[in-house]
Coordinates of all heavy atoms in Angstrom, one line a residue:
V1 N 155.8 68.0 8.6 CA 155.6 66.9 9.5 C 154.9 65.8 8.7 O 154.0 66.0 7.9 CB 154.6 67.3 10.6 CG1 154.4 66.1 11.6 CG2 155.1 68.5 11.3
E2 N 155.4 64.6 8.9 CA 154.9 63.4 8.2 C 153.4 63.2 8.7 O 153.2 63.3 9.9 CB 155.6 62.2 8.5 CG 156.9 62.0 7.8 CD 157.7 60.8 8.3 OE1 157.1 59.7 8.2 OE2 158.7 60.9 8.9
R3 N 152.6 62.9 7.8 CA 151.2 62.7 8.1 C 151.0 61.6 9.1 O 150.2 61.6 10.1 CB 150.4 62.4 6.8 CG 148.9 62.2 7.1 CD 148.1 62.3 5.9 NE 146.7 61.9 6.2 CZ 145.9 62.6 6.8 NH1 146.2 63.8 7.2 NH2 144.7 62.2 7.1
S4 N 151.8 60.5 9.0 CA 151.7 59.4 9.9 C 151.9 59.8 11.4 O 151.3 59.2 12.3 CB 152.7 58.3 9.5 OG 154.0 58.7 9.7
K5 N 152.8 60.8 11.6 CA 153.1 61.2 12.9 C 151.9 62.0 13.5 O 151.7 62.0 14.7 CB 154.3 62.1 12.9 CG 155.5 61.4 12.5 CD 156.7 61.7 13.5 CE 157.9 60.8 13.1 NZ 158.7 61.4 12.0
V6 N 151.1 62.6 12.6 CA 149.9 63.3 13.1 C 148.8 62.4 13.5 O 148.2 62.4 14.5 CB 149.4 64.4 12.1 CG1 148.2 65.1 12.6 CG2 150.5 65.4 11.8
T7 N 148.6 61.4 12.5 CA 147.4 60.6 12.7 C 147.8 59.4 13.7 O 146.9 58.7 14.2 CB 146.9 60.0 11.4 OG1 148.1 59.4 10.8 CG2 146.4 61.1 10.5
D8 N 149.0 59.1 13.9 CA 149.4 58.0 14.7 C 150.3 58.4 15.8 O 151.5 58.3 15.7 CB 150.1 57.0 13.8 CG 150.1 55.6 14.4 OD1 149.4 55.4 15.4 OD2 150.8 54.7 13.9
P9 N 149.8 59.0 16.9 CA 150.6 59.4 18.0 C 151.5 58.3 18.5 O 151.1 57.1 18.4 CB 149.6 60.0 19.0 CG 148.3 59.5 18.6 CD 148.4 59.2 17.2
S10 N 152.6 58.6 19.1 CA 153.6 57.6 19.5 C 153.0 56.6 20.5 O 153.4 55.4 20.4 CB 154.8 58.3 20.1 OG 154.5 59.0 21.2
W11 N 152.1 57.0 21.3 CA 151.6 56.0 22.3 C 150.9 54.9 21.7 O 150.8 53.8 22.2 CB 150.7 56.7 23.3 CG 149.6 57.5 22.8 CD1 149.6 58.8 22.5 CD2 148.3 57.0 22.4 NE1 148.3 59.2 22.0 CE2 147.5 58.1 21.9 CE3 147.7 55.7 22.4 CZ2 146.2 58.0 21.4 CZ3 146.4 55.6 21.9 CH2 145.7 56.7 21.4
R12 N 150.4 55.1 20.4 CA 149.7 54.0 19.8 C 150.6 52.8 19.5 O 150.1 51.7 19.4 CB 149.2 54.5 18.4 CG 148.0 55.4 18.6 CD 146.9 55.0 17.6 NE 145.6 55.7 18.0 CZ 145.0 56.5 17.2 NH1 145.4 56.7 15.9 NH2 143.9 57.1 17.5
R13 N 151.9 53.0 19.4 CA 152.8 51.9 19.2 C 152.8 50.9 20.4 O 153.1 49.7 20.2 CB 154.2 52.4 19.0 CG 154.5 52.7 17.5 CD 155.9 53.1 17.3 NE 156.0 54.5 17.4 CZ 157.0 55.2 18.1 NH1 157.9 54.5 18.7 NH2 157.0 56.4 18.2
M14 N 152.4 51.4 21.5 CA 152.4 50.5 22.7 C 151.0 50.1 23.1 O 150.7 49.5 24.1 CB 153.0 51.3 23.9 CG 154.5 51.4 23.8 SD 155.2 52.8 24.7 CE 154.9 52.2 26.3
A15 N 150.0 50.4 22.2 CA 148.6 50.1 22.5 C 148.4 48.6 22.6 O 148.8 47.9 21.8 CB 147.7 50.8 21.5
A16 N 147.6 48.2 23.7 CA 147.3 46.8 23.8 C 146.3 46.4 22.7 O 146.2 45.2 22.5 CB 146.7 46.6 25.2
C17 N 145.6 47.3 22.1 CA 144.6 46.9 21.1 C 145.2 46.8 19.7 O 144.5 46.5 18.7 CB 143.5 47.9 21.1 SG 144.0 49.6 20.7
R18 N 146.5 47.0 19.6 CA 147.2 46.8 18.3 C 146.9 45.3 17.8 O 147.2 44.4 18.5 CB 148.7 47.0 18.3 CG 149.1 48.4 18.1 CD 150.5 48.5 18.1 NE 151.1 48.1 16.9 CZ 151.9 48.8 16.1 NH1 152.2 50.0 16.5 NH2 152.4 48.4 15.0
G19 N 146.4 45.2 16.6 CA 146.2 43.8 16.1 C 144.8 43.2 16.6 O 144.5 42.2 16.1
V20 N 144.1 43.9 17.5 CA 142.8 43.4 17.9 C 141.8 44.1 16.9 O 142.0 45.2 16.5 CB 142.5 43.9 19.3 CG1 141.1 43.4 19.7 CG2 143.5 43.3 20.3
S21 N 140.8 43.4 16.6 CA 139.8 43.9 15.6 C 139.2 45.2 16.1 O 138.7 45.3 17.3 CB 138.7 42.8 15.4 OG 137.6 43.5 14.8
P22 N 139.2 46.2 15.3 CA 138.6 47.5 15.7 C 137.1 47.4 16.0 O 136.6 48.2 16.8 CB 138.9 48.4 14.5 CG 139.9 47.7 13.7 CD 139.8 46.3 14.0
D23 N 136.5 46.4 15.4 CA 135.1 46.2 15.7 C 134.8 46.1 17.2 O 133.7 46.5 17.6 CB 134.5 45.0 15.0 CG 134.5 45.1 13.5 OD1 134.7 46.3 13.0 OD2 134.2 44.1 12.8
L24 N 135.7 45.5 17.9 CA 135.5 45.3 19.3 C 135.4 46.6 20.0 O 134.7 46.8 21.0 CB 136.8 44.5 19.8 CG 136.6 43.7 21.0 CD1 135.7 42.5 20.8 CD2 138.0 43.2 21.5
F25 N 136.1 47.6 19.5 CA 136.2 48.9 20.2 C 135.1 49.9 19.7 O 135.0 51.0 20.2 CB 137.6 49.5 20.0 CG 138.6 48.7 20.7 CD1 139.2 47.6 20.2 CD2 139.0 49.1 22.0 CE1 140.1 46.9 20.9 CE2 139.9 48.4 22.8 CZ 140.4 47.2 22.2
F26 N 134.4 49.5 18.6 CA 133.3 50.4 18.1 C 132.0 49.5 18.1 O 131.5 49.3 17.0 CB 133.7 51.0 16.8 CG 134.8 51.9 16.9 CD1 136.2 51.5 16.7 CD2 134.6 53.3 17.1 CE1 137.2 52.4 16.8 CE2 135.6 54.2 17.2 CZ 136.9 53.8 17.1
P27 N 131.6 49.1 19.2 CA 130.3 48.3 19.3 C 129.1 49.1 18.8 O 129.1 50.4 19.0 CB 130.2 47.9 20.7 CG 131.0 48.9 21.5 CD 132.0 49.4 20.6
S28 N 128.2 48.5 18.2 CA 126.9 49.2 17.9 C 126.2 49.6 19.2 O 126.5 49.0 20.2 CB 126.0 48.2 17.1 OG 126.7 47.7 16.0
K29 N 125.3 50.5 19.0 CA 124.6 51.0 20.2 C 123.9 49.8 20.9 O 123.3 49.0 20.3 CB 123.5 52.0 19.7 CG 123.3 53.2 20.6 CD 122.3 54.1 20.0 CE 121.8 55.1 21.0 NZ 122.8 56.1 21.4
G30 N 124.1 49.8 22.2 CA 123.5 48.7 23.0 C 124.3 47.5 23.1 O 124.0 46.6 23.9
E31 N 125.3 47.4 22.2 CA 126.2 46.2 22.3 C 127.1 46.3 23.5 O 127.6 47.4 23.7 CB 127.0 46.1 21.0 CG 126.6 44.9 20.1 CD 127.4 44.9 18.9 OE1 128.5 45.5 18.8 OE2 127.0 44.2 17.9
P32 N 127.4 45.1 24.1 CA 128.3 45.2 25.3 C 129.7 45.6 24.8 O 130.2 45.2 23.7 CB 128.3 43.8 25.9 CG 127.8 42.9 24.8 CD 126.9 43.8 23.9
A33 N 130.5 46.3 25.6 CA 131.8 46.7 25.3 C 132.8 46.1 26.3 O 134.0 46.5 26.3 CB 131.9 48.2 25.3
G34 N 132.4 45.1 27.0 CA 133.2 44.5 28.1 C 134.5 44.0 27.6 O 135.6 44.2 28.2
E35 N 134.5 43.3 26.4 CA 135.7 42.8 25.9 C 136.8 43.8 25.6 O 138.0 43.7 25.9 CB 135.5 42.0 24.6 CG 135.1 40.5 24.8 CD 134.9 39.8 23.5 OE1 135.9 39.4 22.9 OE2 133.7 39.7 23.1
A36 N 136.3 44.9 25.0 CA 137.2 46.0 24.6 C 137.8 46.6 25.9 O 139.0 46.9 26.0 CB 136.5 47.1 23.9
K37 N 136.9 46.8 26.9 CA 137.4 47.4 28.2 C 138.4 46.5 28.9 O 139.3 47.0 29.5 CB 136.2 47.7 29.1 CG 135.3 48.8 28.6 CD 134.2 49.1 29.5 CE 133.4 50.3 28.9 NZ 132.2 50.6 29.8
Q38 N 138.2 45.2 28.7 CA 139.2 44.3 29.3 C 140.6 44.4 28.6 O 141.6 44.4 29.3 CB 138.7 42.8 29.1 CG 138.0 42.3 30.3 CD 137.4 40.9 30.1 OE1 137.8 40.2 29.2 NE2 136.4 40.6 30.8
V39 N 140.6 44.6 27.3 CA 141.9 44.9 26.6 C 142.5 46.2 27.2 O 143.7 46.2 27.5 CB 141.7 44.9 25.1 CG1 143.0 45.3 24.4 CG2 141.1 43.6 24.6
C40 N 141.7 47.2 27.3 CA 142.2 48.5 27.8 C 142.8 48.4 29.2 O 143.7 49.1 29.5 CB 141.0 49.5 27.8 SG 140.4 49.9 26.2
Q41 N 142.2 47.5 30.0 CA 142.7 47.3 31.4 C 144.1 46.8 31.4 O 144.9 47.1 32.3 CB 141.8 46.3 32.1 CG 140.8 47.1 33.0 CD 139.8 46.1 33.6 OE1 140.1 44.9 33.8 NE2 138.7 46.6 34.0
T42 N 144.6 46.2 30.3 CA 145.9 45.7 30.3 C 146.9 46.7 29.5 O 148.0 46.4 29.3 CB 146.0 44.3 29.5 OG1 145.7 44.5 28.1 CG2 145.0 43.3 30.1
C43 N 146.3 47.8 29.1 CA 147.0 48.7 28.2 C 147.9 49.7 28.9 O 147.5 50.4 29.8 CB 146.0 49.4 27.3 SG 146.8 50.5 26.1
P44 N 149.2 49.7 28.6 CA 150.1 50.6 29.3 C 149.9 52.1 28.9 O 150.5 53.0 29.6 CB 151.5 50.1 28.8 CG 151.3 49.5 27.5 CD 149.9 48.9 27.6
V45 N 149.2 52.4 27.8 CA 149.0 53.8 27.4 C 147.6 54.2 27.5 O 147.2 55.1 26.8 CB 149.6 54.0 26.0 CG1 151.1 53.8 26.0 CG2 149.0 53.0 25.0
A46 N 146.8 53.6 28.4 CA 145.4 53.9 28.5 C 145.2 55.4 28.9 O 144.2 56.0 28.3 CB 144.7 53.0 29.6
G47 N 146.0 56.0 29.7 CA 145.9 57.4 30.1 C 146.0 58.3 28.9 O 145.2 59.2 28.6
A48 N 147.1 58.0 28.1 CA 147.3 58.9 26.9 C 146.2 58.7 25.9 O 145.7 59.6 25.2 CB 148.6 58.5 26.2
C49 N 145.7 57.5 25.8 CA 144.6 57.2 24.9 C 143.3 57.9 25.3 O 142.6 58.5 24.4 CB 144.3 55.7 24.8 SG 142.9 55.1 23.8
L50 N 143.0 57.9 26.6 CA 141.8 58.6 27.1 C 142.0 60.1 26.8 O 141.0 60.7 26.4 CB 141.7 58.3 28.6 CG 140.5 58.9 29.2 CD1 139.2 58.4 28.7 CD2 140.5 58.7 30.7
D51 N 143.1 60.6 27.2 CA 143.3 62.1 27.0 C 143.2 62.5 25.5 O 142.5 63.5 25.2 CB 144.7 62.5 27.4 CG 144.8 62.5 28.9 OD1 143.8 62.5 29.6 OD2 146.0 62.6 29.4
F52 N 143.7 61.6 24.6 CA 143.6 61.9 23.2 C 142.1 61.9 22.8 O 141.7 62.8 22.0 CB 144.4 60.8 22.4 CG 144.2 60.9 20.9 CD1 145.0 61.8 20.2 CD2 143.3 60.2 20.2 CE1 144.9 61.9 18.8 CE2 143.2 60.3 18.9 CZ 144.0 61.2 18.2
A53 N 141.4 60.9 23.2 CA 140.0 60.9 22.8 C 139.2 62.1 23.3 O 138.3 62.6 22.6 CB 139.4 59.6 23.3
I54 N 139.5 62.5 24.6 CA 138.8 63.6 25.2 C 139.1 64.9 24.5 O 138.3 65.7 24.1 CB 139.0 63.7 26.7 CG1 138.3 62.5 27.4 CG2 138.6 65.0 27.2 CD1 138.5 62.4 28.9
T55 N 140.4 65.1 24.3 CA 140.8 66.4 23.7 C 140.4 66.5 22.2 O 140.2 67.6 21.7 CB 142.3 66.7 23.8 OG1 143.1 65.5 23.3 CG2 142.7 66.9 25.3
S56 N 140.4 65.3 21.5 CA 140.0 65.4 20.1 C 138.5 65.2 19.9 O 138.0 65.2 18.8 CB 140.8 64.4 19.3 OG 140.5 63.1 19.7
G57 N 137.8 65.1 21.0 CA 136.3 65.0 20.9 C 135.8 63.8 20.2 O 134.8 63.8 19.6
E58 N 136.5 62.6 20.4 CA 136.0 61.4 19.8 C 134.6 61.1 20.4 O 134.4 61.0 21.6 CB 136.9 60.3 20.2 CG 138.2 60.2 19.3 CD 137.9 59.9 17.9 OE1 136.9 59.3 17.6 OE2 138.8 60.2 17.1
E59 N 133.7 60.8 19.5 CA 132.3 60.6 20.0 C 131.9 59.2 20.0 O 130.8 58.8 20.5 CB 131.3 61.4 19.2 CG 131.5 62.9 19.5 CD 130.4 63.8 18.9 OE1 129.6 63.2 18.1 OE2 130.4 65.0 19.2
T60 N 132.7 58.3 19.3 CA 132.3 56.9 19.3 C 133.5 56.1 19.8 O 134.6 56.5 19.8 CB 132.0 56.5 17.8 OG1 133.1 56.8 17.0 CG2 130.7 57.2 17.3
G61 N 133.1 54.8 20.1 CA 134.1 53.9 20.4 C 134.6 53.9 21.9 O 134.2 54.8 22.7
I62 N 135.4 52.8 22.2 CA 135.9 52.7 23.6 C 137.4 53.2 23.5 O 138.2 52.8 22.7 CB 135.9 51.2 24.0 CG1 134.5 50.7 24.0 CG2 136.6 51.1 25.4 CD1 133.5 51.4 24.9
W63 N 137.7 54.2 24.3 CA 139.1 54.7 24.4 C 139.5 54.8 25.8 O 138.7 55.2 26.7 CB 139.1 56.2 23.8 CG 138.8 56.3 22.4 CD1 137.5 56.2 21.8 CD2 139.7 56.5 21.3 NE1 137.6 56.4 20.4 CE2 138.9 56.6 20.1 CE3 141.0 56.8 21.2 CZ2 139.5 56.8 18.9 CZ3 141.6 57.0 20.0 CH2 140.9 57.0 18.8
G64 N 140.7 54.3 26.1 CA 141.2 54.4 27.5 C 140.2 53.6 28.4 O 140.1 53.9 29.6
G65 N 139.6 52.6 27.9 CA 138.7 51.8 28.7 C 137.4 52.4 29.0 O 136.6 51.9 29.9
M66 N 137.1 53.5 28.4 CA 135.8 54.2 28.7 C 134.9 54.4 27.5 O 135.4 54.6 26.4 CB 136.1 55.6 29.3 CG 136.7 55.5 30.6 SD 136.6 57.1 31.4 CE 137.6 56.8 32.9
S67 N 133.6 54.3 27.7 CA 132.6 54.6 26.7 C 132.5 56.1 26.5 O 133.1 56.9 27.2 CB 131.3 54.0 27.1 OG 130.8 54.7 28.2
E68 N 131.8 56.4 25.4 CA 131.6 57.8 25.1 C 131.0 58.6 26.3 O 131.4 59.7 26.7 CB 130.7 58.0 23.9 CG 130.9 59.3 23.1 CD 129.9 60.3 23.6 OE1 128.8 59.9 24.0 OE2 130.3 61.5 23.7
R69 N 130.0 57.9 26.9 CA 129.3 58.5 28.0 C 130.2 58.7 29.2 O 130.2 59.8 29.9 CB 128.1 57.6 28.5 CG 127.2 58.3 29.5 CD 125.9 57.5 29.7 NE 126.2 56.1 30.0 CZ 126.5 55.7 31.2 NH1 126.5 56.5 32.2 NH2 126.7 54.4 31.5
Q70 N 131.0 57.7 29.5 CA 132.0 57.8 30.6 C 133.0 58.9 30.3 O 133.4 59.7 31.2 CB 132.7 56.5 30.8 CG 131.8 55.4 31.4 CD 132.5 54.1 31.4 OE1 133.1 53.6 30.4 NE2 132.4 53.4 32.6
R71 N 133.4 59.1 29.0 CA 134.4 60.1 28.7 C 133.8 61.5 28.9 O 134.5 62.4 29.3 CB 134.9 59.9 27.3 CG 135.8 58.8 27.1 CD 136.6 58.9 25.8 NE 135.8 59.1 24.6 CZ 135.2 58.1 23.9 NH1 135.4 56.8 24.4 NH2 134.5 58.3 22.9
R72 N 132.5 61.6 28.5 CA 131.9 62.9 28.7 C 131.9 63.3 30.2 O 132.1 64.4 30.6 CB 130.4 62.8 28.2 CG 130.3 63.2 26.8 CD 128.9 63.8 26.5 NE 127.8 62.9 27.0 CZ 127.2 62.0 26.2 NH1 127.5 61.9 25.0 NH2 126.2 61.3 26.7
E73 N 131.7 62.3 31.1 CA 131.7 62.6 32.5 C 133.1 63.0 33.0 O 133.2 63.9 33.8 CB 131.2 61.3 33.3 CG 129.7 61.2 33.3 CD 129.2 59.8 33.8 OE1 130.0 59.1 34.5 OE2 128.1 59.4 33.4
V74 N 134.1 62.3 32.5 CA 135.4 62.7 32.8 C 135.8 64.1 32.3 O 136.3 64.9 33.1 CB 136.5 61.7 32.3 CG1 137.9 62.2 32.5 CG2 136.3 60.3 32.9
A75 N 135.4 64.4 31.1 CA 135.6 65.7 30.5 C 134.9 66.8 31.3 O 135.5 67.9 31.6 CB 135.1 65.8 29.1
R76 N 133.7 66.5 31.8 CA 133.0 67.5 32.6 C 133.6 67.7 33.9 O 133.8 68.9 34.4 CB 131.5 66.9 32.7 CG 130.6 67.9 33.3 CD 129.2 67.4 33.2 NE 128.4 68.0 34.4 CZ 128.3 67.3 35.5 NH1 128.8 66.1 35.7 NH2 127.6 67.9 36.5
A77 N 134.1 66.6 34.5 CA 134.7 66.7 35.8 C 136.0 67.5 35.7 O 136.4 68.3 36.6 CB 135.0 65.3 36.4
R78 N 136.7 67.3 34.6 CA 138.0 68.1 34.3 C 137.7 69.6 34.2 O 138.5 70.4 34.6 CB 138.7 67.5 33.1 CG 139.4 66.2 33.4 CD 140.2 65.7 32.2 NE 140.7 64.4 32.5 CZ 141.5 63.8 31.6 NH1 141.8 64.3 30.4 NH2 142.0 62.6 31.9
R79 N 136.6 69.9 33.4 CA 136.3 71.3 33.2 C 136.0 71.9 34.5 O 136.4 73.1 34.8 CB 135.1 71.4 32.3 CG 135.4 71.5 30.8 CD 134.3 72.1 30.0 NE 133.0 71.4 30.2 CZ 132.6 70.3 29.6 NH1 133.4 69.7 28.7 NH2 131.5 69.7 29.8
I80 N 135.2 71.2 35.4 CA 134.9 71.8 36.7 C 136.1 72.0 37.5 O 136.3 73.1 38.1 CB 133.9 70.9 37.4 CG1 132.5 70.9 36.7 CG2 133.7 71.3 38.9 CD1 131.5 69.9 37.1
A81 N 137.0 71.0 37.5 CA 138.2 71.1 38.3 C 139.1 72.3 37.8 O 139.7 73.0 38.5 CB 139.0 69.8 38.2
A82 N 139.1 72.5 36.4 CA 139.9 73.6 35.8 C 139.4 74.9 36.2 O 140.1 75.8 36.5 CB 140.0 73.4 34.3
Q83 N 138.0 75.0 36.2 CA 137.4 76.3 36.6 C 137.7 76.6 38.1 O 137.9 77.7 38.4 CB 135.9 76.2 36.4 CG 135.5 76.5 34.9 CD 134.0 76.0 34.6 OE1 133.3 75.7 35.6 NE2 133.7 76.0 33.4
A84 N 137.6 75.6 38.9 CA 137.9 75.8 40.3 C 139.3 76.2 40.5 O 139.6 77.1 41.3 CB 137.6 74.5 41.1
G85 N 140.2 75.7 39.7 CA 141.6 76.1 39.7 C 141.8 77.6 39.3 O 142.5 78.3 39.9
D86 N 141.1 78.0 38.2 CA 141.1 79.3 37.8 C 140.6 80.3 38.9 O 141.2 81.3 39.1 CB 140.2 79.5 36.5 CG 140.9 78.9 35.3 OD1 142.1 78.6 35.4 OD2 140.2 78.8 34.3
Q87 N 139.5 79.9 39.5 CA 139.0 80.8 40.5 C 139.9 80.9 41.7 O 140.1 82.0 42.3 CB 137.6 80.2 41.0 CG 136.5 80.7 40.2 CD 135.2 79.9 40.3 OE1 135.1 79.2 41.3 NE2 134.4 79.9 39.3
A88 N 140.6 79.8 42.0 CA 141.5 79.8 43.2 C 142.7 80.7 42.8 O 143.2 81.5 43.7 CB 142.0 78.4 43.5
A89 N 143.1 80.7 41.5 CA 144.3 81.5 41.1 C 143.9 83.0 41.0 O 144.8 83.8 41.3 CB 144.7 81.0 39.7
T90 N 142.7 83.3 40.6 CA 142.3 84.7 40.4 C 141.6 85.3 41.6 O 141.7 86.5 41.9 CB 141.4 84.9 39.2 OG1 140.3 84.1 39.3 CG2 142.1 84.6 37.9
G91 N 140.9 84.5 42.4 CA 140.2 85.0 43.5 C 141.0 85.0 44.7 O 140.8 85.5 45.8
Ligands
LIG101 S1 143.4 52.1 26.2 FE1 142.3 50.6 25.0 S2 141.7 51.7 23.1 FE2 143.3 52.9 24.1 S3 145.2 52.2 23.1 FE3 144.9 51.0 25.0 S4 143.8 49.2 24.4 FE4 143.6 50.6 22.7

């Protein structure tokens, strides 16, 4: 497999943040991230981007329009939903 295919998933080609300064998406602690989130709002692949960040455990930056803290909440909610699904299937 070509390395570029691993590090650059196909959805990135459609990312609204292509060509936008990455600095915008990796604000320092306490810096506002509103501009980055605005770009994400126009992004056609925000869902894939968010899933990628959650499954790969990205701890910094804005992905899928969400901060690290927001992603943690989504990941937690998904875990709870998955557990509920497991219980429904086995119980
Ligand atoms: S959701 Fe935001 S960070 Fe992710 S690809 Fe789209 S514009 Fe970039």
